[in-house]
Amino acid sequence: MRQRVATAVWRVVLAAGLVCGIGLLPWLTQTDPAYTVLKARSAERDPTPEVLADIRAQLGLDGGPLHVLGRWLGGLVRGDAGQSWISGSEVLPDVLQALGASLLLMSVALLVAALTAGIVCARTLRLGARRRLGGRRRGGTGSAVIASLPEFLVASVLATVVGVQLGWLPALGWYGPQWTVLPALALGLPAGAVLGRLLDDLLPGAFGEPWALAAAARGLTGRRIARQALRRCVPALLPNLGLFVVGLTGGAVAVEQVFDIPGLGRTTLQAALAQDLPVLQAGTLALVLLAALATGATRLAARLLTGPALRDGALSSLHRPAPPAGGLLPLLYGAVLLAVVGVGLTRDPLALDTGARLLAPSLDHPFGTDSLGRDLLARIGHGAFDTLLLASAITAAVLVAGVLLGLVPRVSAPLVDTVNAVPPVLAALLVTAVAGSGTATPALAVGAVAWAPLAAHTSALLRQERATLHITATRGLGAGRWYLLRRELLPAVLPPVLRHALLRLPGVALSLASLGFLGLGAQPPSPEWGLLLAENQPYAERAPWAVLAPAAVLALLGALAVTAAGGLRRRRRGAAGPVVPEQPTVEKELVAAR
């Protein structure tokens, strides 16, 4: 009981710190909120001292940041979130309306994600139901490509092709069910590909458990066994599903802007850029509360699905030792990627030719040219080092942080919920306020939020692995916590978490590029890959190769990462190898027991 109370207090402290930190954002960034509000209200009006003083008096800024924050918190206790500094309207109705639109979009996107995840793992379910998983090769190229596609690119393509050119569905606005289809596809397809890959990674272990073998021996149908295998694996993914719920609600800024949806992510972004603190604080508080509800719901669902086996330590391990998956696909993808980068490095990425703007791919320009006539192959080749090296370094850092924090879920779980409730743009502003604007700021901003899914995944896997029969037996033989962690838990959990981190590597690269719009990160004329997508997105309809080329390279990176991760398997013990030193007494007993 004490631990639950301490966790609840820690969660409240983090949420309060986040909301109060946002309330102090203008002063942390050393900007004048009166000037920012004036420009948001009327860009043509001159910021004279009299005008700025009048705005400060209207907003009560003369009392200082603590006075402004205390007044807002006092009104919030009475159910009043204040008035917008820009429009003057009541904040609470506007935020609730935006939250309703985002929740509807999130619900449809989760349905799309569930269908996509089902398609990704359909082959594994079919083979497992027929008891033919022994010779299955792990691929995942298609799902890796979908997971690597940026949401704003998918949204732009769907809006242009399906909405405008074909006219099948509306591309702009928010007026009814038909308007939810395209944005839900843009959000749900990448999310479903990630969830499908994580689920597909766990299913073979479920089909190999004793209950599945006994069910097949008793003549149960393969379809029924497949349903139970899904039920066995879903609890380990529910924490990440909860993160997707919040991320799709508040983090769908780009998709909401492409389709002109008045959602909470777009509302929060506009409030952050205009420093409309009442709207920004109310929107962030709504996301924090949503994160707490999603976490509670996923934990309850995990307990209901797992049953008393989790409490009694009667589960079987889903992460059994297995030989590394072989194959030539990682070598093939790596060779293609190296060839593209190598050929691109021989060309000039900054050479302008205004007479060759937006040229289609040809022998002279294999990937075509951009809006300034620059060779896209050259820009992709020269941008590879910045993109790959920085993204790889950040992925390695967040992997270590995620695993370490995942080992202490009572500390990290509320922190994960709080971090996940912060939209990426707002996270960048907060990091800039604390660390300042510099070359390391983009990496800090991305790393500040990228560890959360890995920590949630680690905690969920550890929770189930601790409840397995072999851990219970090993503990009964006298093994201590350090031995269990070092020899049993981490070897079982690290491979799937590492594969998860590699699956998110292209997303880290894109997150770095998205900060360029805030004056952070890569700036023109840098050939960074994500920036290439952002620069050429307005020309997607006229010159689709301008965005397809960098998107294809990112998809190739994702396919390489996922297929290479297939070789990261827990090796079987007892294989031929060098003689090991004399083991401690406990380890001798454990080896003999096996």
Side-chain angles (χ1 to χ4, degrees), residues 505-526:
L505 176 61
V508 171
L510 284 171
S511 299
L512 289 170
S514 65
L515 300 183
F517 295 106
L518 297 177
L520 306 172
Q523 294 294 307
S526 170

Side-chain angles (χ1 to χ4, degrees), residues 25-101:
L25 185 60
W27 292 273
L28 292 175
T29 56
Q30 298 181 352
T31 58
D32 187 356
Y35 177 81
T36 307
V37 169
L38 174 63
K39 289 303 179 182
R41 290 178 177 178
S42 176
E44 294 81 12
R45 194 174 180 183
D46 294 331
T48 61
E50 294 77 10
V51 171
L52 295 178
D54 182 57
I55 292 178
R56 293 190 187 96
Q58 293 176 9
L59 303 180
L61 298 176
D62 293 332
L66 296 181
H67 170 73
V68 174
L69 181 61
R71 187 177 61 178
W72 183 81
L73 291 175
L76 188 64
V77 174
R78 301 188 300 270
D80 180 15
Q83 295 180 337
S84 170
W85 287 1
I86 307 301
S87 64
S89 61
E90 293 292 331
V91 169
L92 194 58
D94 293 342
V95 169
L96 290 179
Q97 184 178 2
L99 178 61

Side-chain angles (χ1 to χ4, degrees), residues 131-364:
R131 314 302 303 169
R132 297 179 180 175
L133 274 176
R136 173 183 175 268
R137 290 186 178 181
R138 295 180 178 270
T141 302
S143 59
V145 170
I146 297 175
S148 302
L149 293 177
E151 294 173 348
F152 71 85
L153 177 61
V154 178
S156 300
V157 171
L158 291 176
T160 302
V161 177
V162 180
V164 178
Q165 295 182 351
L166 299 178
W168 290 348
L169 291 168
L172 293 176
W174 189 253
Y175 305 105
Q178 292 181 339
W179 278 263
T180 64
V181 177
L182 293 182
L185 286 173
L187 290 172
L189 287 175
V194 174
L195 290 175
R197 283 298 308 161
L198 297 179
L199 179 60
D200 192 67
D201 197 43
L202 295 174
L203 281 173
F207 280 114
E209 289 183 338
W211 68 263
L213 302 176
R218 291 193 59 183
L220 269 69
T221 63
R223 183 174 300 179
R224 187 172 180 182
I225 296 175
R227 286 200 302 266
Q228 293 302 318
L230 275 176
R231 178 177 177 177
R232 174 69 180 89
C233 297
V234 163
L237 301 182
L238 285 176
N240 270 279
L241 182 61
L243 297 184
F244 275 115
V245 167
V246 183
L248 294 178
T249 304
V253 178
V255 174
E256 290 177 355
Q257 287 186 333
V258 170
F259 292 101
D260 195 23
I261 299 174
L264 187 60
R266 185 181 178 189
T267 301
T268 306
L269 171 63
Q270 293 173 348
L273 296 179
Q275 293 189 354
D276 191 353
L277 295 186
V279 176
L280 181 58
Q281 289 171 303
T284 304
L285 183 60
L287 290 174
V288 171
L289 294 176
L290 178 63
L293 291 175
T295 300
T298 53
R299 287 183 178 178
L300 178 60
R303 290 183 179 180
L304 293 177
L305 289 173
T306 308
L310 182 65
R311 179 197 61 209
D312 299 336
L315 292 175
S316 297
S317 177
L318 291 174
H319 312 287
R320 299 183 175 186
L328 297 176
L329 281 179
L331 298 178
L332 177 61
Y333 295 144
V336 174
L337 185 60
L338 286 176
V340 170
V341 173
V343 175
L345 289 175
T346 63
R347 298 165 176 256
D348 187 357
L350 302 178
L352 300 177
D353 186 359
T354 55
R357 298 175 63 250
L358 299 177
L359 290 181
S362 62
L363 292 178
D364 294 333

Side-chain angles (χ1 to χ4, degrees), residues 1 108 211 393 495:
M1 186 64 181
V108 183
W211 68 263

